[in-house]
Amino acid sequence: MVKAIVISKTGGPEVMEYVDVEVGEPGAGEVRIRHAAIGVNFIDVYFRIGLYPQPLPSGLGQEGAGVIEAVGLGVLGFKPGDRVAYAGRPNGSYSEVRLMPAAMLVKLPDAISFDIAAAALLQGLTVQYLFRRTFPVKEGDTILFHAAAGGVGLIAAQWARALGVNMIGTVSSDEKKALALAAGCTHVINSKTENIVERVKEFTHGKGVPVVFDSIGKDTFIDSLDCLSPLGTMVSFGSSSGTVPPFSLNELASRGSLSITRPSLPHYIGTRADLDAAAADLFQMITSKKIIIDINQRYALSDVAQAHMDLEARKTTGSTILIP
């Protein structure tokens, strides 16, 4: 028996139970992984509270790194002893040991530690697809990126700086403002004390930005639209403040023929070629030290409720991991 987090109902952090589970042999196309580190991401909260429905009881967590203990029939390219990591469904990374489809795994270069992999893969692959594919940013662009002191935001700020992109970030405190500036933001707006739209227009001499990357959702949606220049693109890739309410398409037309997209990571890494290419891009950015992964919170697996409470209260910065 090994330990894992299981939920039998949706709700607050208290619904996460630290229990004994039986992990059998891997089936066809699966491997059994013993985790060394586990990533914590806001999407885990969405599943815990039921915003994203799933059959119950269920595990939680979509990111982990560790060593393969066994492989099932038909698994090619992986063997026991391989150092691997993954980001994506099925849920269940909040565990000491689990079964995982081999199609979701990437091998870790020697230079990437388990902690860094668990802290960086989901968030880093998110930035990779946002910047490389959803809206390819280029040197000289000025962009707006919400939650710039979070795990995704700090990676985005460094990636933007490496590409010569001017990133305007939003944060919720002056302490987070300093973190975002240090990571590479050109300008940072404290959304609690400053008007986002006014400051963006000031930084862009009234033009607005060609793209907004928004993972906050309900609280920032209209401001994000108002920060865009004509023909701009709204990239809504999360909803930490709640889902975006229904709106009229005329809201896009009246602001200058705007475009909007709601991307999701699984669609960008759905093939082995796409997953390997995206991971290689991310790992190169890390090993070249263009991106430094800040793991600012570590919790024992048994303390996952506290990790979620801190995450939801926006007390965390950078990346958060669990240690089994």
Side-chain angles (χ1 to χ4, degrees):
M1 301 288 279
V2 296
K3 292 292 188 181
I5 299 299
V6 174
I7 62 170
S8 299
K9 59 183 179 181
T10 58
E14 72 280 356
V15 303
M16 295 184 289
E17 300 178 270
Y18 184 62
V19 297
D20 290 319
V21 297
E22 190 76 47
V23 179
E25 294 301 311
E30 292 183 329
V31 304
R32 189 173 71 232
I33 301 172
R34 180 167 293 275
H35 288 130
I38 300 156
V40 177
N41 299 281
F42 218 97
I43 193 172
D44 306 341
V45 175
Y46 299 158
F47 279 102
R48 193 204 75 218
I49 66 176
L51 179 64
Y52 292 173
Q54 63 177 334
L56 298 176
S58 175
L60 283 177
Q62 296 194 6
E63 184 176 35
V67 175
I68 294 177
E69 290 187 333
V71 301
L73 291 175
V75 172
L76 301 175
F78 296 98
K79 64 184 185 303
D82 281 349
R83 301 171 68 251
V84 295
Y86 61 88
R89 301 186 194 183
N91 283 330
S93 67
Y94 289 8
S95 57
E96 293 177 335
V97 177
R98 75 169 299 187
L99 301 179
M100 189 71 188
M104 297 296 298
L105 303 180
V106 294
K107 287 186 179 179
L108 292 181
D110 292 340
I112 304 291
S113 70
F114 292 126
D115 283 10
I116 293 297
L121 199 60
L122 193 147
Q123 295 170 346
L125 290 179
T126 297
V127 177
Q128 198 277 340
Y129 85 72
L130 290 175
F131 281 5
R132 300 294 201 193
R133 298 180 66 187
T134 303
F135 188 99
V137 296
K138 61 185 185 302
E139 185 175 1
D141 282 348
T142 297
I143 67 174
L144 176 62
F145 205 106
H146 290 295
V152 174
L154 290 178
I155 293 173
Q158 295 176 79
W159 208 312
R161 178 170 58 188
L163 295 175
V165 170
N166 301 306
M167 180 166 141
I168 303 170
T170 71
V171 297
S172 58
S173 71
D174 286 340
E175 291 77 14
K176 290 183 176 182
K177 191 172 188 175
L179 283 173
L181 284 169
C185 282
T186 306
H187 304 286
V188 181
I189 301 165
N190 182 340
S191 61
K192 300 295 185 184
T193 60
E194 300 175 86
N195 183 290
I196 294 174
V197 178
E198 289 179 0
R199 293 292 277 162
V200 167
K201 292 298 178 67
E202 178 184 332
F203 295 142
T204 60
H205 306 290
K207 295 178 181 178
V209 293
V211 61
V212 177
F213 297 97
D214 189 340
S215 63
I216 296 178
K218 177 174 65 71
D219 289 353
T220 51
F221 182 71
I222 295 300
D223 279 350
S224 292
L225 295 182
D226 288 339
C227 288
L228 286 166
S229 57
L231 309 185
T233 299
M234 166 67 167
V235 181
S236 176
F237 69 101
S239 49
S240 62
S241 69
T243 55
V244 174
F247 69 98
S248 168
L249 289 177
N250 289 334
E251 298 287 350
L252 305 180
S254 65
R255 289 171 169 82
S257 298
L258 306 180
S259 298
I260 187 166
T261 183
R262 179 57 174 90
S264 182
L265 175 61
H267 302 128
Y268 287 87
I269 57 171
T271 68
R272 169 54 60 187
D274 283 342
L275 174 58
D276 285 346
D281 192 12
L282 172 63
F283 291 154
Q284 191 279 328
M285 295 294 285
I286 295 173
T287 56
S288 66
K289 301 192 183 305
K290 292 177 181 176
I291 290 176
I292 304 298
I293 302 301
D294 292 314
I295 305 173
N296 293 338
Q297 297 81 214
R298 285 179 169 85
Y299 302 84
L301 177 59
S302 57
D303 293 332
V304 66
Q306 187 62 55
H308 273 225
M309 286 188 284
D310 291 345
L311 184 66
E312 290 180 274
R314 298 191 182 185
K315 292 181 179 179
T316 62
T317 59
S319 297
T320 300
I321 63 171
L322 303 174
I323 304 300

